[in-house]
Amino acid sequence: MRIINRLLIVLLLINVSCGQNWEEKASGNLLTITNKGGSTLQYHKESGITLLEVDRFAFKDLNKNGIFDPYEDWRLSAHDRAVDLASKMTIDQIAGLMLYSQHQAIPASSQGYFAGTYGKKSFDESGASPSDLTDQQRLFLVDNNLRHVLMTRFQSPEIAAEWNNKAQALVEGIGLGIPVNTSSDPRHRSKADAEFNAGAGGDISMWPTTLGLAATFDVDLVENFGEIASKEYRALGITTALSPQIDLSTDPRWMRFNGTFGENPKLATDMARAYIDGFQNSTGDNEIADGWGFESVNTMVKHWPGGGTGEAGRDAHFGIGKYAVYPGNYFEKHLMPFIEGAFKLNGKTKMASAVMPYYTIAFNQDTKNNENVGNGYNSYIIKDLLRNKYNYDGVLCTDWLITGDETALDSFFSGKPWGVEHLSVAERHYKVLTAGVDQFGGNNDSGPVIEAYNMGVQEMGEEAMRSRFEVSAVRLLKNIIRPGLFENPYLDTSETATIVGNPEFMAAGYEAQLKSVVMLKNKENVLPLPEKSTVYIPKRFTPAGRSLLGAPITEKLDYPVKLEIVKKYFNISESPEEADFALVFIDNPKPGNGYDKSDVASNGTGYVPISLQYSDYTAVDARETSIAGGDPLEDFTNRSYKNKSIKTENIHDLNLVNETSSVMGGKPVIVCVNTNNPMIFSEIETKVDGILVHFGIQDQALLDIISGKSEPNGLLPFQMPANMKTVELQKEDVPQDMECHTDTEGNTYDFAYGMNWKGVIDDERTKEYKSQNR
């Protein structure tokens, strides 16, 4: 009897062990498969997906062929799965995978750069849901096989999650079932007039700009930002961050200065490493393999080999700024944040998963082919350096619109085919591919990619060109597989609402804002201001104009801060005579992009200075002859602006400081400068008693500092120049080579300078980074 019982137990165990090891649960249109001891799967009921059971586990039959293909096996490595899938893709499908969409708004605008239609009607006319896909999105996802989408703005986190689910359901049901990899540029900027309330949430956590993160000199804080931001991104359906921007900002005039970690190579390197580790690493149950998992977000670091050396500070979004120059022979120094930071992570993912080359022509740096073309076209910059010398085998994606035609020298929306303007659009695509790049930013149309493939077939044969396409496909697919999108690309909108902008994340962002504020001047310890002091806040004038994307800016004269927030700290008087102190809120000088059409109309070249001072500036110390020049739309090559003059659009800020100083009659004036670039402080510093610089933070955070509720702790991640002469004489590629401003208190506004209530900060941060100046 005992033997029979034992046999029955064995038979029962065998029966249990042979049963399926997964269970299915339905919720709305989604089916969730839980594999015990394996991956959780989700798929849409109407996508046509069925399940395959292998070794008692469930797997999605993504290509619906009834066969268990290696790429469908979530137990295999991302590389092995990608290799198998790439081998099964048609050339049209790989060409679509190589596309990165133009900017998408959810819902789409009725007109302008973010326009789209719903059933051939505008959103307002269509009756569509805000989360519906536009006609254009359906076209590029279905007809062009595009799978990489750049999201700009969305109506709410829940709408973003709903859009993700609709897009994923669409692509899951077609072809090989390759999910959408949605991306975003940095989206954690602060709203100045937003009020922080501990315990309250928001649309997304708010942090200082990248330059503000650098001002904390705190790599742990930056890594924590990455960890929080990645959780919020994943809850929005975003699996690739088009960041961080790790260019060394060695020219103070560059319009993209505020998107960087500043000009110091070591600081930028350490910050880059921390940022990427925070975004890419998943831990615990969220890890799938090698640090990658369900909380991982791919990072696309930009811009190889560094975009901060445009001649005279001009930017390469425009033909006027296409040339990066290296008068100090510091080209290799600009690679440091990449090769020592982004490619040498502390975390298990080991290196940034993608890199974006910049638009610029790295002038005379191609020592092999002597070719002056945009970085995305340059085989020496890409293949010889990045791929071969530095062994980078991740995704390379061009910056947006580099294969389009140039239509104007100073248009943000013009194509940017620098150095290859004479080639056709298809020939440009082919040159990008032969240089070693995998993907085309801002291109929704697979046609030119397929044309480029056919050119390659003619030149090297079909087998070799097919192999070249598969190499890129494998790289691109790995970045979709590793975050777990093939298994579960869907979102629970209720979870999205609880994750994005939750109170814990909002508090962390607010704390970072406080730590990023840099106090430059505190004459006679005027700060912090006594509680319930009476302050005078002058209104600030904003002239009419247009944003970089062409949106109109309305002229206004208004208070620069929300007075309801100020009243929680101080009494407010509209009369300077009745006030104890004045608080003045301004922006750093805004000079333009270095080109003026009115100069062309006066028979000039159009090139003018980029000024870092408020008052009118004449460039008497500029180069007589530019280092680089030339464009098909120009009949000259000397882009010098020597002895030309320029006005800044916000000279009213200088007037505001001077007028306030005058009407206060010697009573203390505190100036708060929202800072995107270094500036010439000599124009205002002697007129004021306290100076705080910040990097796009909430007004409330500034008031916490001014009132003494928090203590300033930030340090300058760059130099503040003494005058425009030192700006003109500095070399675009050399960090920290300017004479710095010294104030009336004897303090010099150099890299890593800042003050707290005790005086000039001298701590572990300054000891570590001041010794690494260049």
Side-chain angles (χ1 to χ4, degrees):
M1 190 69 177
R2 190 175 297 172
I3 294 173
I4 292 173
N5 286 339
R6 287 177 178 174
L7 286 173
L8 288 173
I9 292 170
V10 170
L11 289 172
L12 179 62
L13 289 172
I14 291 171
N15 185 56
V16 170
S17 67
C18 291
Q20 73 180 31
N21 199 26
W22 54 274
E23 58 185 22
E24 182 177 275
K25 182 180 179 180
S27 177
N29 288 320
L30 294 179
L31 293 169
T32 302
I33 310 301
T34 303
N35 283 295
K36 298 172 185 177
S39 183
T40 297
L41 317 178
Q42 272 196 328
Y43 64 98
H44 197 279
K45 287 180 179 179
E46 299 178 3
S47 66
I49 294 289
T50 57
L51 295 177
L52 301 169
E53 185 175 324
V54 179
D55 299 333
R56 299 184 298 115
F57 290 116
F59 301 85
K60 291 196 281 188
D61 186 11
L62 290 164
N63 59 3
K64 309 169 192 65
N65 65 354
I67 300 171
F68 185 43
D69 296 297
Y71 87 91
E72 297 165 337
D73 188 348
W74 41 259
R75 298 168 301 180
L76 297 180
S77 71
H79 178 79
D80 289 346
R81 296 176 71 185
V83 169
D84 177 66
L85 179 51
S87 71
K88 292 175 167 59
M89 296 177 72
T90 67
I91 293 303
D92 285 3
Q93 289 170 332
I94 296 178
L97 195 65
M98 289 177 167
L99 304 178
Y100 224 122
S101 82
Q102 295 175 6
H103 300 68
Q104 304 297 309
I106 303 171
S109 303
S110 298
Q111 56 186 355
Y113 190 59
F114 303 125
T117 57
Y118 300 81
K120 298 183 179 180
K121 296 180 180 179
S122 70
F123 175 72
D124 293 334
E125 298 170 331
S126 68
S129 165
S131 61
D132 285 349
L133 275 64
T134 66
D135 301 332
Q136 293 75 22
Q137 289 162 357
R138 290 182 177 276
L139 177 66
F140 63 59
L141 289 172
V142 177
D143 292 7
N144 289 286
N145 298 294
L146 183 149
R147 291 296 179 271
H148 295 81
V149 178
L150 173 56
M151 178 192 292
T152 53
R153 63 172 186 258
F154 49 80
Q155 190 176 94
S156 70
E158 294 87 343
I159 293 298
E162 290 174 13
W163 181 91
N164 170 81
N165 289 352
K166 291 176 180 179
Q168 299 292 9
L170 174 65
V171 299
E172 187 176 63
I174 57 179
L176 296 163
I178 299 172
V180 171
N181 181 356
T182 301
S183 70
S184 173
D185 281 309
R187 60 188 323 115
H188 283 83
R189 299 286 178 89
S190 299
K191 298 176 183 176
D193 61 355
E195 187 169 0
F196 173 72
N197 183 6
D203 286 341
I204 197 166
S205 61
M206 293 188 285
W207 299 70
T209 64
T210 308
L211 199 58
L213 292 175
T216 68
F217 280 61
D218 187 338
V219 293
D220 292 335
L221 181 150
V222 172
E223 185 167 352
N224 185 49
F225 162 71
E227 292 170 355
I228 288 173
S230 67
K231 291 180 176 68
E232 293 184 304
Y233 272 25
R234 291 304 299 263
L236 294 167
I238 297 168
T239 42
T240 294
L242 301 186
S243 60
Q245 187 184 332
I246 62 176
D247 315 82
L248 293 182
S249 286
T250 47
D251 191 289
R253 298 163 290 189
W254 189 31
M255 76 174 195
R256 303 195 67 178
F257 197 104
N258 74 325
T260 74
F261 291 116
E263 63 179 313
N264 181 269
K266 177 172 170 50
L267 180 64
T269 298
D270 291 348
M271 291 289 178
R273 186 186 303 110
Y275 186 111
I276 298 163
D277 271 331
F279 265 90
Q280 291 191 170
N281 279 314
S282 290
T283 58
D285 292 341
N286 288 305
E287 183 181 1
I288 298 171
D290 302 321
W292 291 100
F294 298 110
E295 289 185 345
S296 296
V297 172
N298 296 291
T299 57
M300 184 179 292
V301 296
K302 50 192 188 182
H303 306 87
W304 178 265
T309 68
E311 185 163 16
R314 296 186 293 267
D315 180 65
H317 275 88
F318 313 98
I320 59 171
K322 64 169 65 174
Y323 296 103
V325 296
Y326 300 87
N329 295 317
Y330 265 55
F331 175 82
E332 291 190 2
K333 183 68 72 173
H334 286 259
L335 307 184
M336 184 174 166
F338 296 90
I339 62 177
E340 298 296 329
F343 303 163
K344 289 185 179 180
L345 303 180
N346 293 327
K348 292 165 68 176
T349 64
K350 296 184 179 179
M351 64 173 57
S353 61
V355 172
M356 181 186 294
Y358 203 37
Y359 297 116
T360 48
I361 295 170
F363 190 67
N364 287 349
Q365 298 306 304
D366 180 351
T367 58
K368 181 178 180 180
N369 306 308
N370 297 316
E371 192 175 27
N372 280 315
V373 295
N375 294 313
Y377 295 104
N378 194 306
S379 63
Y380 172 76
I381 297 292
I382 300 301
K383 189 178 293 182
D384 293 308
L385 288 184
L386 184 53
R387 292 290 193 202
N388 296 336
K389 182 175 181 178
Y390 298 113
N391 300 310
Y392 184 75
D393 194 39
V395 167
L396 295 185
C397 178
T398 73
D399 215 327
W400 264 232
L401 302 178
I402 78 161
T403 57
D405 291 327
E406 181 184 22
T407 57
L409 281 163
D410 62 341
S411 171
F412 185 81
F413 301 106
S414 173
K416 307 161 202 316
W418 309 146
V420 295
E421 293 89 345
H422 60 288
L423 298 180
S424 70
V425 171
E427 287 170 336
R428 293 171 195 155
H429 281 75
Y430 184 52
K431 188 169 179 62
V432 166
L433 291 170
T434 56
V437 177
D438 305 297
Q439 197 167 29
F440 303 92
N443 183 1
N444 297 354
D445 180 9
S446 62
V449 186
I450 296 169
E451 285 187 66
Y453 175 82
N454 291 329
M455 291 176 186
V457 170
Q458 291 294 318
E459 182 175 325
M460 63 181 74
E462 187 159 9
E463 182 178 354
M465 196 59 194
R466 166 83 200 190
S467 176
R468 170 65 189 87
F469 259 46
E470 287 192 26
V471 167
S472 286
V474 168
R475 292 174 181 143
L476 292 161
L477 289 167
K478 284 164 68 174
N479 286 0
I480 304 176
I481 293 170
R482 290 187 295 202
L485 288 177
F486 274 83
E487 282 59 66
N488 186 3
Y490 295 101
L491 300 170
D492 182 332
T493 55
S494 63
E495 287 187 8
T496 294
T498 61
I499 292 172
V500 181
N502 70 49
E504 178 188 350
F505 295 170
M506 297 295 285
Y510 190 76
E511 183 66 22
Q513 293 180 50
L514 292 171
K515 290 183 176 181
S516 70
V517 177
V518 183
M519 183 164 69
L520 297 182
K521 186 176 183 179
N522 194 18
K523 184 179 179 181
E524 297 179 359
N525 295 319
V526 64
L527 291 171
L529 300 188
E531 185 177 359
K532 292 303 177 182
S533 298
T534 299
V535 298
Y536 167 66
I537 301 175
K539 292 183 177 180
R540 180 172 179 261
F541 177 74
T542 301
R546 290 193 175 275
S547 71
L548 189 64
L549 296 179
I553 298 172
T554 305
E555 177 183 306
K556 66 177 181 178
L557 177 65
D558 201 358
Y559 288 107
V561 291
K562 201 170 184 177
L563 296 187
E564 289 78 5
I565 298 177
V566 179
K567 289 176 182 177
K568 296 183 178 183
Y569 298 83
F570 306 111
N571 299 314
I572 301 175
S573 174
E574 294 186 3
S575 169
E577 291 81 8
E578 297 174 0
D580 303 311
F581 306 92
L583 300 180
V584 184
F585 298 85
I586 60 176
D587 289 347
N588 66 275
K590 298 178 179 179
N593 64 7
Y595 191 78
D596 187 350
K597 289 181 179 177
S598 66
D599 183 69
V600 177
S602 302
N603 296 318
T605 62
Y607 291 90
V608 293
I610 296 176
S611 175
L612 302 181
Q613 66 184 41
Y614 293 107
S615 54
D616 296 355
Y617 168 63
T618 300
V620 296
D621 297 299
R623 293 187 182 105
E624 192 78 46
T625 304
S626 64
I627 294 174
D631 189 276
L633 300 182
E634 296 175 331
D635 59 2
F636 57 88
T637 57
N638 185 7
R639 294 180 163 190
S640 174
Y641 50 85
K642 186 175 178 65
N643 295 321
K644 290 185 180 180
S645 300
I646 190 71
K647 297 178 181 292
T648 55
E649 66 180 60
N650 62 328
I651 190 172
H652 310 281
D653 283 345
L654 172 62
N655 297 336
L656 187 64
V657 173
N658 289 335
E659 291 166 4
T660 303
S661 177
S662 177
V663 298
M664 286 299 290
K667 288 183 288 186
V669 176
I670 313 300
V671 172
C672 301
V673 187
N674 184 17
T675 308
N676 289 310
N677 288 80
M679 60 179 280
I680 309 300
F681 265 100
S682 58
E683 294 180 296
I684 64 171
E685 180 267 315
T686 59
K687 308 286 182 63
V688 303
D689 302 270
I691 299 174
L692 298 173
V693 298
H694 68 97
F695 307 93
I697 66 172
Q698 292 168 255
D699 297 332
Q700 184 177 350
L702 276 175
L703 291 165
D704 276 350
I705 299 289
I706 293 168
S707 66
K709 186 176 180 180
S710 295
E711 185 171 14
N713 189 55
L715 302 169
L716 286 177
F718 53 82
Q719 295 180 316
M720 290 291 188
N723 48 55
M724 280 304 299
K725 179 176 182 177
T726 192
V727 173
E728 295 289 3
L729 296 182
Q730 59 89 34
K731 295 174 179 177
E732 286 91 338
D733 60 324
V734 178
Q736 297 163 230
D737 61 341
M738 295 187 294
E739 176 191 353
C740 298
H741 176 74
T742 299
D743 67 16
T744 58
E745 307 305 292
N747 294 320
T748 300
Y749 298 175
D750 205 343
F751 170 77
Y753 165 76
M755 300 182 71
N756 56 24
W757 302 144
K758 296 178 182 178
V760 176
I761 296 172
D762 182 15
D763 59 15
E764 293 303 315
R765 299 172 300 163
T766 60
K767 289 180 176 64
E768 179 174 3
Y769 289 102
K770 277 188 175 180
S771 64
Q772 300 288 332
N773 274 4
R774 288 164 62 180

